[in-house]
Amino acid sequence: MSDVQTLMDMGFARERVEYALQVTSNKGVEPAMEWLLAHGDEEIPANWNSGESPASTENRQTSGEDAAAAAPSSSGAEPSAGSPVAKSLKCDDCGKVLKDHTEVEYHAAKTGHSNFSESTEEKKALTEEEKKAQLALIEEKLKQKRVEREEREKADALEREKNRIRSGKDMAEAKRRMEELEMKKIVEQRKREKEEEKAARDRVRAQIEADKAARKAREQKESAVSSEPTASVSSTTVTSPSAVKSPPRDYTETRIQVRLQDGSTLQETFNVKEQLSAVRLFIQVKTGIETPFSLMTTFPRKLFAEDDYEKPLEVLGLVPSAVITMTKTAA
């Protein structure tokens, strides 16, 4: 807040405030306030704002008044001794005596009163006790404004601290949820791996049982052939263990291992229907890499083209598992 606005908030008119600041060489609110209290009954020169210093303006005004007093009146008429002379202005709404039109304008703006009239009552200058009382009142207002400003600053600081704590809690909660989701995903992945291992063991046991059954059937057949010497050898049928094949399995998921450029690896399970672009998005999320890169397989060696990223993993032959290497995009 400027010095002019501060003094106006104390009840002084703008014109008197600006003049007081100029008289005191703009040294601050307190010197200007002391001048206003000490010269409350003095009139402000009409042309003080023309760029001249207050001292030269007052000297020129004084010399002009002396010359006007010394010169005879051109009209020769003198004011009648019996006619009343207006010495001030009075607010008809509250009865307050005002010194000039500047005070009238300030009083009207502050109170909303609009009825004023000339008065022969002269506005008395403030006594020392009144000046001290007004000064104490102004100091109390300044102190109150300072206290209000400090309380407002404390409230703002407290609100900022609350926002900081709330933001920290939100970040911690988001991190906790991400960790829970990641842990849940790891648990589900381990569960799937165990189920796949169990299924693989079951397949091996089934294959062993099938081999045993085939071998037993072959032995029985051979013993039957040996007991019939007239039978043609060509009519015998030998069942090979390799003839027993397990039915092909339809995979719904595939395990992809990604080798990064720094030598580290990432591993994730994807649906076989997902596109290769999902693998590239997974790498970007995990590593934070924003620069373009390409993907390739080593065995067999194949560098995926842009149209390959729109194809499902099962079409690209990346089922039930595959190793993909991350490489730089060719310029």
Side-chain angles (χ1 to χ4, degrees):
M1 183 182 293
S2 62
D3 294 344
V4 175
Q5 187 62 40
T6 301
L7 291 170
M8 289 179 64
D9 290 343
M10 296 178 185
F12 298 107
R14 172 181 286 274
E15 186 177 0
R16 298 185 67 82
V17 167
E18 293 176 351
Y19 184 73
L21 288 171
Q22 187 171 355
V23 169
T24 56
S25 301
N26 292 313
K27 293 182 179 180
V29 174
E30 293 186 2
M33 181 177 61
E34 293 178 357
W35 188 92
L36 288 168
L37 293 175
H39 302 80
D41 55 346
E42 293 184 9
E43 294 185 0
I44 299 176
N47 56 349
W48 69 272
N49 203 18
S50 59
E52 301 179 0
S53 63
S56 61
T57 302
E58 291 180 359
N59 292 335
R60 186 167 55 80
Q61 183 179 9
T62 304
S63 61
E65 291 176 352
D66 294 342
S73 175
S74 59
S75 60
E78 295 182 357
S80 174
S83 60
V85 178
K87 298 181 179 180
S88 62
L89 297 170
K90 186 175 183 180
C91 177
D92 296 335
D93 296 328
C94 64
K96 185 174 181 179
V97 178
L98 305 170
K99 186 174 182 180
D100 50 23
H101 288 281
T102 303
E103 292 186 3
V104 169
E105 293 176 358
Y106 178 78
H107 180 76
K110 187 176 181 181
T111 61
H113 297 168
S114 59
N115 299 318
F116 300 92
S117 60
E118 293 183 349
S119 174
T120 57
E121 182 180 355
E122 185 176 2
K123 185 176 180 180
K124 297 180 180 180
L126 296 176
T127 63
E128 291 298 327
E129 289 77 9
E130 290 174 342
K131 290 180 181 179
K132 290 180 180 180
Q134 190 169 1
L135 181 60
L137 180 61
I138 293 174
E139 290 178 351
E140 182 64 24
K141 287 184 179 180
L142 289 175
K143 182 178 179 181
Q144 183 178 358
K145 287 182 177 295
R146 184 166 56 252
V147 171
E148 292 176 355
R149 184 179 64 254
E150 293 175 354
E151 291 179 353
R152 186 168 57 254
E153 291 175 354
K154 289 180 181 179
D156 293 342
L158 181 61
E159 185 65 24
R160 287 195 298 271
E161 181 65 17
K162 288 181 179 179
N163 292 335
R164 186 187 66 81
I165 294 174
R166 189 182 303 111
S167 176
K169 289 182 178 180
D170 293 342
M171 291 181 63
E173 180 66 18
K175 184 178 180 181
R176 184 187 64 80
R177 286 198 299 269
M178 290 182 64
E179 291 176 352
E180 289 180 354
L181 292 174
E182 190 69 21
M183 184 60 65
K184 184 178 179 181
K185 198 171 184 179
I186 292 173
V187 171
E188 292 177 353
Q189 181 178 349
R190 289 179 179 176
K191 184 178 179 181
R192 287 195 300 269
E193 291 176 353
K194 289 181 179 180
E195 292 176 353
E196 291 176 358
E197 290 176 359
K198 183 177 181 300
R201 288 195 298 268
D202 293 340
R203 288 196 300 272
V204 171
R205 282 196 293 266
Q207 184 66 40
I208 293 173
E209 294 295 331
D211 291 343
K212 286 181 180 179
R215 188 163 52 249
K216 185 177 180 180
R218 186 178 68 249
E219 291 174 355
Q220 290 176 353
K221 191 69 173 177
E222 289 176 354
S223 62
V225 170
S226 60
S227 63
E228 297 177 359
T230 59
S232 176
V233 178
S234 61
S235 63
T236 62
T237 303
V238 179
T239 304
S240 174
S242 60
V244 180
K245 297 183 179 180
S246 60
R249 181 185 174 190
D250 293 333
Y251 292 96
T252 60
E253 294 182 342
T254 179
R255 189 183 306 168
I256 303 296
Q257 183 181 15
V258 182
R259 294 179 181 175
L260 305 179
Q261 293 177 345
D262 58 359
S264 60
T265 60
L266 295 174
Q267 185 170 308
E268 183 62 29
T269 302
F270 297 89
N271 191 289
V272 297
K273 302 296 183 182
E274 291 189 73
Q275 299 175 349
L276 183 60
S277 59
V279 179
R280 180 164 58 181
L281 179 60
F282 166 75
I283 298 172
Q284 292 174 340
V285 171
K286 286 293 184 181
T287 62
I289 297 175
E290 297 181 357
T291 56
F293 60 88
S294 300
L295 300 177
M296 62 177 292
T297 56
T298 307
F299 300 104
R301 183 178 180 84
K302 178 182 179 181
L303 180 63
F304 294 108
E306 282 300 322
D307 56 347
D308 292 332
Y309 289 94
E310 304 300 326
K311 297 179 181 179
L313 299 177
E314 61 180 357
V315 175
L316 296 174
L318 302 177
V319 177
S321 63
V323 178
I324 296 179
T325 303
M326 177 182 173
T327 181
K328 293 182 179 180
T329 302

